[in-house]
Short mmCIF file of all heavy atoms in Angstrom, two decimals:
data_model
loop_
_atom_site.label_atom_id
_atom_site.label_comp_id
_atom_site.label_asym_id
_atom_site.label_seq_id
_atom_site.Cartn_x
_atom_site.Cartn_y
_atom_site.Cartn_z
N ILE A 1199 20.21 -27.84 11.83
CA ILE A 1199 20.83 -27.10 12.94
C ILE A 1199 21.29 -25.72 12.45
O ILE A 1199 21.21 -24.73 13.17
CB ILE A 1199 22.00 -27.91 13.58
CG1 ILE A 1199 22.61 -27.16 14.76
CG2 ILE A 1199 23.10 -28.22 12.59
CD1 ILE A 1199 21.88 -27.28 16.04
N GLY A 1200 21.71 -25.65 11.19
CA GLY A 1200 22.11 -24.37 10.61
C GLY A 1200 20.96 -23.39 10.54
O GLY A 1200 21.10 -22.20 10.87
N GLU A 1201 19.79 -23.89 10.17
CA GLU A 1201 18.60 -23.03 10.09
C GLU A 1201 18.16 -22.57 11.48
O GLU A 1201 17.72 -21.43 11.66
CB GLU A 1201 17.46 -23.79 9.39
CG GLU A 1201 17.66 -23.89 7.88
CD GLU A 1201 16.69 -24.88 7.24
OE1 GLU A 1201 15.67 -25.22 7.89
OE2 GLU A 1201 16.97 -25.33 6.10
N ARG A 1202 18.30 -23.45 12.46
CA ARG A 1202 17.91 -23.09 13.83
C ARG A 1202 18.84 -22.03 14.42
O ARG A 1202 18.40 -21.10 15.09
CB ARG A 1202 17.91 -24.33 14.74
CG ARG A 1202 16.72 -25.23 14.55
CD ARG A 1202 16.40 -26.04 15.81
NE ARG A 1202 17.54 -26.80 16.30
CZ ARG A 1202 17.93 -27.99 15.82
NH1 ARG A 1202 17.27 -28.53 14.81
NH2 ARG A 1202 18.95 -28.62 16.36
N LEU A 1203 20.12 -22.17 14.15
CA LEU A 1203 21.09 -21.23 14.71
C LEU A 1203 21.08 -19.89 14.00
O LEU A 1203 21.25 -18.84 14.62
CB LEU A 1203 22.51 -21.84 14.62
CG LEU A 1203 22.83 -22.99 15.56
CD1 LEU A 1203 24.13 -23.68 15.12
CD2 LEU A 1203 22.96 -22.49 16.98
N GLY A 1204 20.89 -19.93 12.69
CA GLY A 1204 20.94 -18.70 11.89
C GLY A 1204 22.35 -18.12 11.87
O GLY A 1204 23.33 -18.75 12.29
N TRP A 1205 22.46 -16.88 11.40
CA TRP A 1205 23.76 -16.23 11.26
C TRP A 1205 24.11 -15.29 12.41
O TRP A 1205 25.27 -14.99 12.63
CB TRP A 1205 23.79 -15.43 9.94
CG TRP A 1205 24.07 -16.30 8.76
CD1 TRP A 1205 23.17 -17.05 8.06
CD2 TRP A 1205 25.34 -16.52 8.13
NE1 TRP A 1205 23.79 -17.73 7.04
CE2 TRP A 1205 25.12 -17.42 7.05
CE3 TRP A 1205 26.62 -16.04 8.36
CZ2 TRP A 1205 26.15 -17.84 6.21
CZ3 TRP A 1205 27.65 -16.47 7.53
CH2 TRP A 1205 27.42 -17.36 6.47
N ASP A 1206 23.10 -14.83 13.12
CA ASP A 1206 23.34 -13.81 14.13
C ASP A 1206 23.06 -14.32 15.54
O ASP A 1206 22.16 -15.14 15.74
CB ASP A 1206 22.47 -12.59 13.83
CG ASP A 1206 22.79 -12.00 12.47
OD1 ASP A 1206 23.97 -11.66 12.24
OD2 ASP A 1206 21.88 -11.90 11.63
N PRO A 1207 23.83 -13.84 16.52
CA PRO A 1207 23.66 -14.27 17.91
C PRO A 1207 22.25 -13.98 18.42
O PRO A 1207 21.64 -12.98 18.04
CB PRO A 1207 24.69 -13.43 18.68
CG PRO A 1207 25.66 -12.95 17.66
CD PRO A 1207 24.90 -12.83 16.38
N LYS A 1208 21.77 -14.86 19.28
CA LYS A 1208 20.45 -14.66 19.89
C LYS A 1208 20.63 -14.26 21.36
O LYS A 1208 21.65 -14.59 21.96
CB LYS A 1208 19.64 -15.96 19.78
CG LYS A 1208 19.30 -16.32 18.34
CD LYS A 1208 18.60 -17.67 18.26
CE LYS A 1208 18.18 -17.98 16.82
NZ LYS A 1208 19.30 -18.00 15.88
N PRO A 1209 19.68 -13.53 21.92
CA PRO A 1209 19.78 -13.11 23.33
C PRO A 1209 20.00 -14.31 24.25
O PRO A 1209 19.35 -15.35 24.09
CB PRO A 1209 18.43 -12.45 23.60
CG PRO A 1209 17.93 -12.03 22.25
CD PRO A 1209 18.43 -13.06 21.29
N GLY A 1210 20.93 -14.17 25.18
CA GLY A 1210 21.17 -15.23 26.15
C GLY A 1210 22.06 -16.36 25.67
O GLY A 1210 22.23 -17.36 26.37
N GLU A 1211 22.60 -16.21 24.49
CA GLU A 1211 23.47 -17.25 23.95
C GLU A 1211 24.77 -17.35 24.74
O GLU A 1211 25.29 -16.35 25.22
CB GLU A 1211 23.84 -16.92 22.49
CG GLU A 1211 23.07 -17.73 21.49
CD GLU A 1211 23.62 -17.54 20.09
OE1 GLU A 1211 24.70 -16.96 19.91
OE2 GLU A 1211 22.92 -17.96 19.17
N GLY A 1212 25.30 -18.56 24.81
CA GLY A 1212 26.59 -18.76 25.46
C GLY A 1212 27.71 -18.89 24.44
O GLY A 1212 27.47 -18.87 23.22
N HIS A 1213 28.92 -19.03 24.94
CA HIS A 1213 30.11 -19.13 24.09
C HIS A 1213 30.03 -20.35 23.17
O HIS A 1213 30.42 -20.28 22.00
CB HIS A 1213 31.36 -19.23 24.99
CG HIS A 1213 32.63 -19.45 24.23
ND1 HIS A 1213 33.10 -18.58 23.27
CD2 HIS A 1213 33.54 -20.46 24.29
CE1 HIS A 1213 34.24 -19.02 22.77
NE2 HIS A 1213 34.52 -20.17 23.37
N LEU A 1214 29.50 -21.46 23.69
CA LEU A 1214 29.43 -22.68 22.89
C LEU A 1214 28.46 -22.55 21.71
O LEU A 1214 28.64 -23.19 20.68
CB LEU A 1214 29.04 -23.88 23.75
CG LEU A 1214 30.13 -24.38 24.72
CD1 LEU A 1214 29.61 -25.55 25.54
CD2 LEU A 1214 31.39 -24.79 23.96
N ASP A 1215 27.43 -21.72 21.88
CA ASP A 1215 26.48 -21.49 20.79
C ASP A 1215 27.18 -20.77 19.63
O ASP A 1215 26.94 -21.08 18.46
CB ASP A 1215 25.29 -20.65 21.26
CG ASP A 1215 24.44 -21.40 22.28
OD1 ASP A 1215 24.03 -22.52 21.97
OD2 ASP A 1215 24.21 -20.87 23.36
N ALA A 1216 28.04 -19.81 19.96
CA ALA A 1216 28.79 -19.10 18.93
C ALA A 1216 29.76 -20.04 18.22
O ALA A 1216 29.90 -20.00 16.99
CB ALA A 1216 29.55 -17.92 19.55
N LEU A 1217 30.41 -20.91 19.00
CA LEU A 1217 31.31 -21.90 18.41
C LEU A 1217 30.55 -22.86 17.49
O LEU A 1217 31.02 -23.19 16.40
CB LEU A 1217 32.01 -22.71 19.51
CG LEU A 1217 33.15 -22.05 20.26
CD1 LEU A 1217 33.68 -22.98 21.34
CD2 LEU A 1217 34.28 -21.65 19.32
N LEU A 1218 29.38 -23.28 17.95
CA LEU A 1218 28.56 -24.20 17.15
C LEU A 1218 28.12 -23.54 15.85
O LEU A 1218 28.16 -24.17 14.78
CB LEU A 1218 27.34 -24.66 17.96
CG LEU A 1218 26.39 -25.63 17.27
CD1 LEU A 1218 27.12 -26.89 16.84
CD2 LEU A 1218 25.23 -26.00 18.20
N ARG A 1219 27.73 -22.28 15.91
CA ARG A 1219 27.30 -21.56 14.71
C ARG A 1219 28.45 -21.53 13.67
O ARG A 1219 28.25 -21.82 12.50
CB ARG A 1219 26.86 -20.14 15.06
CG ARG A 1219 26.43 -19.32 13.83
CD ARG A 1219 25.91 -17.95 14.20
NE ARG A 1219 24.63 -18.05 14.89
CZ ARG A 1219 24.45 -17.88 16.19
NH1 ARG A 1219 25.48 -17.55 16.96
NH2 ARG A 1219 23.26 -18.00 16.72
N GLY A 1220 29.63 -21.19 14.14
CA GLY A 1220 30.79 -21.14 13.24
C GLY A 1220 31.09 -22.50 12.63
O GLY A 1220 31.36 -22.62 11.43
N LEU A 1221 31.02 -23.54 13.46
CA LEU A 1221 31.28 -24.90 12.99
C LEU A 1221 30.28 -25.32 11.92
O LEU A 1221 30.65 -25.81 10.85
CB LEU A 1221 31.20 -25.87 14.18
CG LEU A 1221 31.30 -27.36 13.85
CD1 LEU A 1221 32.76 -27.75 13.69
CD2 LEU A 1221 30.66 -28.20 14.94
N VAL A 1222 28.99 -25.11 12.21
CA VAL A 1222 27.91 -25.55 11.32
C VAL A 1222 27.92 -24.77 10.01
O VAL A 1222 27.83 -25.36 8.92
CB VAL A 1222 26.54 -25.44 12.03
CG1 VAL A 1222 25.40 -25.66 11.05
CG2 VAL A 1222 26.46 -26.44 13.17
N LEU A 1223 28.03 -23.45 10.09
CA LEU A 1223 28.02 -22.65 8.86
C LEU A 1223 29.24 -22.94 7.99
O LEU A 1223 29.13 -22.97 6.76
CB LEU A 1223 27.96 -21.16 9.22
CG LEU A 1223 26.65 -20.68 9.84
CD1 LEU A 1223 26.74 -19.21 10.23
CD2 LEU A 1223 25.47 -20.90 8.88
N GLY A 1224 30.38 -23.19 8.64
CA GLY A 1224 31.57 -23.54 7.88
C GLY A 1224 31.40 -24.87 7.16
O GLY A 1224 31.80 -25.02 6.00
N LYS A 1225 30.81 -25.82 7.85
CA LYS A 1225 30.60 -27.15 7.26
C LYS A 1225 29.62 -27.06 6.09
O LYS A 1225 29.85 -27.65 5.02
CB LYS A 1225 30.04 -28.09 8.33
CG LYS A 1225 30.29 -29.55 8.05
CD LYS A 1225 31.72 -29.93 8.31
CE LYS A 1225 31.95 -31.43 8.13
NZ LYS A 1225 33.38 -31.77 8.22
#
């Protein structure tokens, strides 16, 4: 999931996607 999300926001992303990215990268 970390590889799919990457580090940078993607076009059309929602708030939950940003939260998920932070959660996954932190873990």
Side-chain angles (χ1 to χ4, degrees):
I1199 182 81
E1201 284 168 18
R1202 283 206 306 278
L1203 288 167
W1205 280 83
D1206 300 304
K1208 294 175 176 59
E1211 257 189 12
H1213 176 59
L1214 288 178
D1215 294 306
L1217 284 178
L1218 181 57
R1219 179 176 291 105
L1221 174 82
V1222 170
L1223 291 176
K1225 203 75 176 173

